[in-house]
């Protein structure tokens, strides 16, 4: 089926040029509208141009207002800094004081320990000195006892009874003192006196009270070697010994001394009796 042919109307070669087009009739309302639109557009362009010119002359920038430091704020900041500095100084001072106190306590402890050691060493030295002095005293006493002459003051009687008594007593020097003991290595005062006179056949009572009244009483200014000395009252004496001459006597003294020779000047007797 063939398509219908559309007739082509020939156009003028100048028809596409506006000025060659034929004007079409327009209504008055259309013209007014177009004028109004054109006016509005021009007004808008004018405003935009003016704004553009103003913006071009003065570029827009955004600023932020910073707080102003007043005198009050400055004073507060300074005060806060001063308080902080003072707190730091106080802390440092406390730390220094604590360190000094700890150091002082440590030093005091060390000084105390050192003083204690020195005191102990001093006490040991003193104890050693006393022990040495006591040993020297005992040695001296033994030497004196050994070298003492029984008959340096008054000669022994011809029978030799006094000499026998004194020799027996001296043989017991250094023996122990024990209350109630009767020899041969330990004595009390009256048992030693009783045993000494028994060597020459004199039978004396056992206790010091009875020994103090067993012989002939003599004054202390007239005593002789071999006389019995007593301390306390006659008949109630609490201690006895034997005079050996030279102002000395021999006795079983006490638990700390044992059997020794002593001076009458240091411990004067109360009285004396003579049995030989």
């Amino acid at each position: 089926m063939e398509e219908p042919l559309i007739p082509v109307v020939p156009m003028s070669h100048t028809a596409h040029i506006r000025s060659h087009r034929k004007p079409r009739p327009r209504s008055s309302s259309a013209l007014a509208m177009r004028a109004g639109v054109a006016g509005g557009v021009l007004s808008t362009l004018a405003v935009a141009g003016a704004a553009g010119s103003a913006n071009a002359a003065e570029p827009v920038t955004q600023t932020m207002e910073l707080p102003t430091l007043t005198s009050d704020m400055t004073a507060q900041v300074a005060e806060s800094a001063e308080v902080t500095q003072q707190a730091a100084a106080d802390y440092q001072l406390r730390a220094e004081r604590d360190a000094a106190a700890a150091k002082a306590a440590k030093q005091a402890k060390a000084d105390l320990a050192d003083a204690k050691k020195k005191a102990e060493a001093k006490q040991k030295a003193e104890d050693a000195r006393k022990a040495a002095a006591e040993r020297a005293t005992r040695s001296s006493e033994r030497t004196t006892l050994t070298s003492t002459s029984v008959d340096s003051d008054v000669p022994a009687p011809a029978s030799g009874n006094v000499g026998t008594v004194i020799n027996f007593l001296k043989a017991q020097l250094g023996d122990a003192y024990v209350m109630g003991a009767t020899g041969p290595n330990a004595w009390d005062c009256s048992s030693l006196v009783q045993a000494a006179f028994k060597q020459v056949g004199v039978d004396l009572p056992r206790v010091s009270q009875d020994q103090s009244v067993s012989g002939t009483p003599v004054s202390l200014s007239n005593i002789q070697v071999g006389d019995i000395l007593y301390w306390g009252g006659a008949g109630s004496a609490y201690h006895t010994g034997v005079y050996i001459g030279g102002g000395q006597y021999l006795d079983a003294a006490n638990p700390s001394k044992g059997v020794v020779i002593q001076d009458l000047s240091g411990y004067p007797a109360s009285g004396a009796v003579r049995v030989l």
Side-chain angles (χ1 to χ4, degrees):
M1 182 176 179
E2 297 182 357
E3 295 181 357
L5 299 174
I6 298 174
V8 177
V9 179
M11 183 180 289
S12 174
H13 65 282
T14 61
H16 66 283
I17 301 174
R18 184 181 297 274
S19 61
H20 287 211
R21 292 178 181 176
K22 292 182 180 181
R24 287 182 288 184
R26 298 175 179 175
S27 63
S28 58
S29 59
L31 293 174
M33 181 178 293
R34 293 185 64 179
V37 171
V41 171
L42 292 175
S43 298
T44 301
L45 292 175
V47 172
S53 299
N55 291 336
E58 297 181 2
V60 178
T61 59
Q62 184 177 4
T63 60
M64 181 181 295
E65 184 177 358
L66 296 175
T68 303
L69 293 177
T70 64
S71 59
D72 291 341
M73 291 181 65
T74 303
Q76 291 177 1
V77 171
E79 183 178 358
S80 177
E82 183 178 358
V83 169
T84 301
Q85 184 177 4
Q86 184 62 40
D90 292 342
Y91 178 80
Q92 183 177 1
L93 180 60
R94 285 196 300 271
E96 291 176 353
R97 288 177 178 174
D98 292 342
K103 183 178 180 180
K106 184 177 180 180
Q107 185 62 41
K109 185 176 180 181
D111 292 342
L112 180 61
D114 185 56
K116 186 176 180 180
K117 289 181 179 178
K118 289 181 179 179
E120 291 176 351
K122 184 177 180 181
Q123 185 61 44
K124 288 181 179 179
E126 181 65 18
D127 292 342
R129 186 192 66 78
K130 288 182 178 180
E134 289 177 357
R135 287 194 298 269
T137 300
R138 288 195 297 268
S139 177
S140 176
E141 288 177 350
R142 287 170 183 161
T143 302
T144 300
L145 293 177
T146 302
S147 62
T148 299
S149 174
V150 175
D151 299 326
S152 60
D153 187 15
V154 178
S159 63
N161 289 341
V162 172
T164 301
V165 170
I166 301 304
N167 287 335
F168 175 85
L169 291 172
K170 290 182 64 176
Q172 315 311 314
L173 288 172
D175 283 357
Y177 175 98
V178 177
M179 179 65 72
T182 58
N185 299 313
W187 313 87
D188 62 19
C189 64
S190 57
S191 70
L192 179 62
V193 172
Q194 182 187 47
F197 281 90
K198 190 175 182 179
Q199 304 303 310
V200 293
V202 177
D203 192 11
L204 292 176
R206 170 65 180 83
V207 296
S208 59
Q209 292 91 337
D210 295 335
Q211 289 177 1
S212 65
V213 292
S214 294
T216 302
V218 294
S219 66
L220 293 175
S221 61
N222 294 319
I223 57 175
Q224 297 178 3
V225 175
D227 288 345
I228 297 174
L229 303 175
Y230 64 85
W231 284 259
S236 61
Y238 57 84
H239 187 68
T240 56
V242 178
Y243 184 65
I244 62 173
Q248 295 180 320
Y249 64 95
L250 190 153
D251 67 338
N254 53 51
S256 63
K257 292 183 177 180
V259 179
V260 293
I261 292 176
Q262 305 189 79
D263 291 330
L264 274 173
S265 61
Y267 189 36
S270 303
V273 293
R274 185 172 297 159
V275 295
L276 292 176

